[in-house]
Structures are given as C-alpha cells and as structure tokens.
C-alpha cells in the first residue's frame, strides 16, 4: 500500500542518518476504502492527492510541535536561530505492508505496523523556500481552521496553494544539504 507520511525537515534528516523512521504515532495517510466512499468521483491519482494533502496538513501540526519545543528550549539556547523549525511541509511517500485502517480518526488515516526504511520510500515531497512565510503563518492557525474558523482557513489556504516539490529518494541527502 502506498502511504503518505507527514514529516518535517529534522525527521527527514533522521531518516537519512538512521536509514529508517518511526512516524509519530505510526500515523500515515492512504487511499482507503473509506476515502473512496467519501468522494463521489475521482480516480486513484486524484484520491492519492487528497491523502497527500491530508499528510501535508498533518505536517503543519508537526511543525507546530517543533516550534513549541524550540520555544521551550530558547531560554538555554545560545544563537537566536538554534533549534528553530524549518517552515516547510514534508510528506514521505512509501510502500508498506501491514498498515491498519483508522477510519475512527479520518477517512484517509492508517496506522503503520512499524518504522519505514529508506528502501520503502518512493519519493519525498517538500515545500520550496518561497512557501515558508505562508507555512509559518499556517502553523499558527491549523487547529483553528479545522474547527471552522474561516479566517484561519483562509491563512491555511495560502500555504496549501503552494505545491510540494517532488524529490526521488536518492535526492533526499542532497536536498537536506541545501537547506
């Protein structure tokens, strides 16, 4: 099954260094039977875009957690930028077996049986630098947008208007060197 795993730049670095990554809570997104049912039309490619979009939105929540953790550590950090998150959404597309459906959470959510290895990666999708200002703002409002705040949804939409760039798995180390 092709799954879309929300990630951040530090998580991508961990994946390259350790050659595996354990997604937060084992959570990933995929084209599930419940997702197919939720859409009146759409082929597999269109539904995969929906699942990837959900993973990209989940990446915003991971960025919020990184930012909050960095804020907690700021009192002891020396340089002003030390530990600051890189405001780029990241999604890892991987082929896995044993993923369990979690329709109790959402139509596209699956739980992975364990870590993913570098060999399972099909590709990685990451925001370009030009998206960082909008992504940084979206991190602040993602929860409010999910609760129906229309102003927050507008801010979130500005970030989601940026298409994630596609990178082959073998390009990931080079991408991370450039960030």
């Amino acid at each position: 099954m092709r799954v879309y795993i929300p990630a951040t730049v530090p998580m991508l670095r961990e994946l390259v260094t350790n050659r595996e990554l354990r997604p937060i809570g084992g959570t990933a997104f995929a084209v599930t039977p419940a997702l197919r049912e939720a859409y009146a039309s759409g082929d597999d490619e269109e539904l995969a875009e929906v699942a990837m979009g959900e993973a990209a939105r989940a990446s915003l929540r991971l960025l919020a957690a990184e930012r909050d953790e960095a804020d907690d550590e700021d009192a002891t950090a020396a340089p002003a930028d030390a530990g600051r998150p890189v405001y780029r959404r990241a999604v890892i597309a991987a082929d896995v077996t044993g993923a369990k459906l979690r329709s109790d959470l959402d139509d596209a959510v699956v739980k992975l049986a364990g870590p993913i290895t570098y060999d399972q990666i099909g590709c990685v999708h990451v925001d370009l630098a030009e998206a960082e200002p909008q992504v940084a703002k979206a991190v602040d409002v993602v929860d409010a947008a999910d609760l129906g705040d229309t102003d927050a949804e507008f801010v979130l939409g500005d970030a989601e208007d940026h298409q994630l760039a596609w990178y082959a798995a073998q390009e990931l180390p080079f991408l991370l060197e450039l960030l």
Side-chain angles (χ1 to χ4, degrees):
M1 169 186 278
R2 173 62 55 108
V3 297
Y4 302 94
I5 303 161
T8 62
V9 170
M11 292 172 71
L12 295 177
R13 291 185 197 287
E14 178 184 337
L15 175 61
V16 169
T17 300
N18 299 337
R19 306 303 285 177
E20 75 173 22
L21 176 74
R22 185 172 299 279
I24 305 295
T27 301
F29 299 82
V31 178
T32 64
L35 184 64
R36 285 183 205 285
E37 248 180 64
Y39 284 81
S41 66
D43 60 17
D44 282 350
E45 190 173 314
E46 291 170 322
L47 294 174
E49 286 290 323
V50 172
M52 191 172 77
E54 291 297 318
R57 188 172 279 205
S59 177
L60 291 171
R61 290 184 184 84
L62 296 176
L63 284 167
E66 280 183 2
R67 183 202 52 213
D68 293 347
E69 190 175 299
D71 288 346
D72 290 344
E73 295 172 1
D74 268 353
T76 59
D81 289 337
R84 301 305 302 172
V86 177
Y87 288 106
R88 295 193 192 195
R89 298 167 299 160
V91 176
I92 302 165
D95 297 310
V96 302
T97 58
K100 296 188 191 264
L101 302 177
R102 289 297 312 264
S103 56
D104 58 315
L105 296 177
D106 202 356
D107 292 339
V109 178
V110 296
K111 182 168 177 109
L112 302 180
I116 58 158
T117 63
Y118 204 85
D119 296 336
Q120 292 174 292
I121 299 171
C123 60
V124 178
H125 303 267
V126 181
D127 272 317
L128 298 174
E130 64 194 28
E132 286 187 44
Q134 289 81 23
V135 170
K137 291 175 186 173
V139 164
D140 292 333
V141 301
V142 64
D143 291 332
D146 284 344
L147 294 173
D149 183 319
T150 54
D151 291 334
E153 186 64 42
F154 180 74
V155 172
L156 188 63
D158 286 345
E160 290 177 341
D161 283 345
H162 290 275
Q163 294 292 315
L164 298 174
W166 180 95
Y167 298 93
Q170 62 268 28
E171 294 176 308
L172 186 54
F174 303 108
L175 168 66
L176 294 172
E177 281 181 30
L178 297 173
L179 294 179

